């Protein structure tokens, strides 16, 4: 390939990459603009008496439904098998008109359930972020004990295997139905009032935190073991204690190495937060499933639900990729600007 062709091909790839990034930015702005606008309206503006009210759609879906009905009636009357006494057949226009009617009905349905999905997305996001942050607080000492704890490493191993070896849904049921946690939480006056979610939500946070801490502990253990043992020895040689060496030398590198695994854990929590719906937490899946059960519009509702989950997951992975690049140490790891993993 000549140099000019290679240069042209490179420019074409760069142009396509710019278009992809611009499109991703536009989609992200629309997605998060909708969520933020919906939350701001439901929690603040609607309380001032402005607009249709909390939980109501901003625009009427009646025009869309009327247009869809017109297309459906037209296809029914003049479609592949026209009714008697009609002389007009739509022929090849039947399929696109049918699709257009379905599209209009889908848009109308999306507008109708958008407030409920936005409210459920808030519970999903808070549940995910709180669980992974609190789980990290547990996971770090568990992983350190697992690697450097001597005889105590068996306690860390037992905790990890017990949590990982039992289903998350079973753990949630145990926490939800046991009176030792549900009763004290349900008796707190603040819980379940105003903006504060009910006690099932707090139980879900406890359950997801415990479950996620076991998986995070294993991610961190793998990252701990990837740090050269000589660095801890060097830290001891300059006068640091073993604990100080772990704290100031080993862990900063470990947490950087663990970011790709945390990204995977974050994606896992976003999707599996749907299990909280089984203990009545009104998160994203719970609300969509409730609407589908009452309207029997299972396919379009679950397609819309999947799009919202996809938006959350792609946003999370994008944020974690930026964090990884931000905290990367030049010359270490595989993030952009670092050298490890190259074929040199």
């Amino acid at each position: 390939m000549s140099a000019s062709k290679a240069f042209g091909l490179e420019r074409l790839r760069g142009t396509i990459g710019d278009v992809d990034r611009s499109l991703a930015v536009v989609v992200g702005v629309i997605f998060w603009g909708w969520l933020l606008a919906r939350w701001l309206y439901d929690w603040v503006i609607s309380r001032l008496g402005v607009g249709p009210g909390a939980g109501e759609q901003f625009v009427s879906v009646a025009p869309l439904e009327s247009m869809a009905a017109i297309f459906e009636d037209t296809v029914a009357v003049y479609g592949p098998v026209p009714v008697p006494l009609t002389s007009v057949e739509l022929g090849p226009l039947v399929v696109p008109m049918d699709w257009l009617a379905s599209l209009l009905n889908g848009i109308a349905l999306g507008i109708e359930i958008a407030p409920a999905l936005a409210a459920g997305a808030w519970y999903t996001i808070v549940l995910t972020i709180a669980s992974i942050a609190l789980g990290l607080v547990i996971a770090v000492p568990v992983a350190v004990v697992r690697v450097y704890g001597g005889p105590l490493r068996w306690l860390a191993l037992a905790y990890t295997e017990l949590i990982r070896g039992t289903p998350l849904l079973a753990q949630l049921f145990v926490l939800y139905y046991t009176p030792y946690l549900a009763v004290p939480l349900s008796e707190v006056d603040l819980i379940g009032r105003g903006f504060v979610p009910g006690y099932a939500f707090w139980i879900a946070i406890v359950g997801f935190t415990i479950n996620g801490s076991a998986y995070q502990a294993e991610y961190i253990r793998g990252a701990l073991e990837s740090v050269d043992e000589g660095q801890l020895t060097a830290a001891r040689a300059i006068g640091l204690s073993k604990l100080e060496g772990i704290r100031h030398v080993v862990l900063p590198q470990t947490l950087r190495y663990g970011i790709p695994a945390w990204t995977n854990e974050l994606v896992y929590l976003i999707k599996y937060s749907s299990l909280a719906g089984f203990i009545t937490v009104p998160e994203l899946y719970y609300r969509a499933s409730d609407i589908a059960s009452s309207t029997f519009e299972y396919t379009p509702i679950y397609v819309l639900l999947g799009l919202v989950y996809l938006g959350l997951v792609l946003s999370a992975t994008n944020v974690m990729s930026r964090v990884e690049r931000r905290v990367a140490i030049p010359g270490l790891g595989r993030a952009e600007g670092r050298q490890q993993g190259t074929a040199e």
Side-chain angles (χ1 to χ4, degrees):
M1 181 182 295
S2 64
S4 59
K5 288 184 177 179
F7 180 71
L9 184 59
E10 190 65 28
R11 288 189 61 183
L12 178 61
R13 288 174 178 169
T15 303
I16 295 175
D18 292 340
V19 172
D20 290 343
R21 282 190 290 273
S22 300
L23 183 60
V25 170
V26 170
V27 173
V29 169
I30 293 174
F31 178 72
W32 283 101
W34 160 63
L35 281 180
L36 294 175
R38 192 70 241 182
W39 296 337
L40 177 64
Y41 176 78
D42 285 346
W43 299 336
V44 181
I45 299 178
S46 65
R47 296 175 180 273
L48 302 177
V50 178
E56 300 295 331
Q57 63 265 22
F58 293 136
V59 296
S60 173
V61 299
L64 293 172
E65 292 178 337
S66 299
M67 292 175 63
I70 292 173
F71 285 119
E72 290 173 344
D73 294 341
T74 303
V75 170
V77 175
Y78 303 106
V81 184
V83 298
L85 303 180
T86 60
S87 58
V88 180
E89 293 187 23
L90 292 177
L93 294 178
V94 171
V95 174
M97 290 184 69
D98 202 26
W99 288 354
L100 191 55
S102 300
L103 177 62
L104 292 173
N105 280 325
I107 295 174
L109 180 63
I111 294 173
E112 282 185 324
I113 69 172
L117 293 182
W122 168 255
Y123 280 88
T124 296
I125 293 171
V126 174
L127 179 59
T128 301
I129 295 176
S131 299
I132 201 165
L134 296 174
L136 177 63
V137 175
I138 301 174
V140 170
V142 170
V144 171
V145 171
R146 178 82 186 278
V147 177
Y148 300 104
L152 294 178
R153 67 179 59 187
W154 295 105
L155 292 176
L157 176 63
Y159 172 81
T160 303
E161 296 304 325
L162 174 64
I163 300 302
R164 291 198 308 165
T166 53
L168 173 57
L169 188 57
Q171 296 167 9
L172 290 176
F173 281 154
V174 169
L175 292 172
Y176 183 68
Y177 289 109
T178 184
Y180 306 107
L181 188 58
V183 172
L185 288 174
S186 62
E187 292 177 348
V188 177
D189 290 337
L190 187 63
I191 291 180
R193 294 179 180 274
F195 293 105
V196 182
Y199 72 93
F201 177 78
W202 302 103
I203 291 176
I205 286 183
V206 173
F208 278 92
T209 296
I210 294 173
N211 185 272
S213 67
Y215 288 93
Q216 290 190 70
E218 282 299 285
Y219 300 149
I220 296 172
R221 180 182 67 84
L224 276 173
E225 293 176 342
S226 67
V227 177
D228 192 339
E229 294 181 0
Q231 297 199 28
L232 183 56
T233 304
R236 300 293 302 275
I238 62 173
L240 297 178
S241 66
K242 183 177 182 180
L243 189 59
E244 290 173 335
I246 295 172
R247 162 68 179 82
H248 296 290
V249 177
V250 178
L251 274 180
Q253 300 176 63
T254 297
L255 297 181
R256 288 185 173 90
Y257 291 160
I259 289 177
W262 272 319
T263 303
N264 187 52
E265 177 68 12
L266 189 59
V267 171
Y268 165 85
L269 281 176
I270 290 173
K271 294 186 298 180
Y272 285 89
S273 62
S274 59
L275 294 179
F278 287 90
I279 59 171
T280 71
V281 176
E283 45 72 54
L284 190 53
Y285 176 82
Y286 179 89
R287 291 177 183 266
S289 179
D290 187 48
I291 296 171
S293 299
S294 59
T295 62
F296 300 104
E297 298 281 358
Y298 289 99
T299 299
I301 288 177
Y302 283 118
V303 168
L304 293 172
L305 174 66
L307 291 176
V308 178
Y309 272 117
L310 184 61
L312 296 178
V313 167
L314 292 179
S315 300
T317 53
N318 187 39
V319 169
M320 294 300 288
S321 297
R322 291 176 182 275
V323 171
E324 185 181 9
R325 290 195 295 271
R326 180 74 176 176
V327 302
I329 299 176
L332 295 174
R334 292 196 176 95
E336 185 179 354
R338 294 181 286 182
Q339 301 301 320
Q340 184 174 330
T342 61
E344 285 185 318

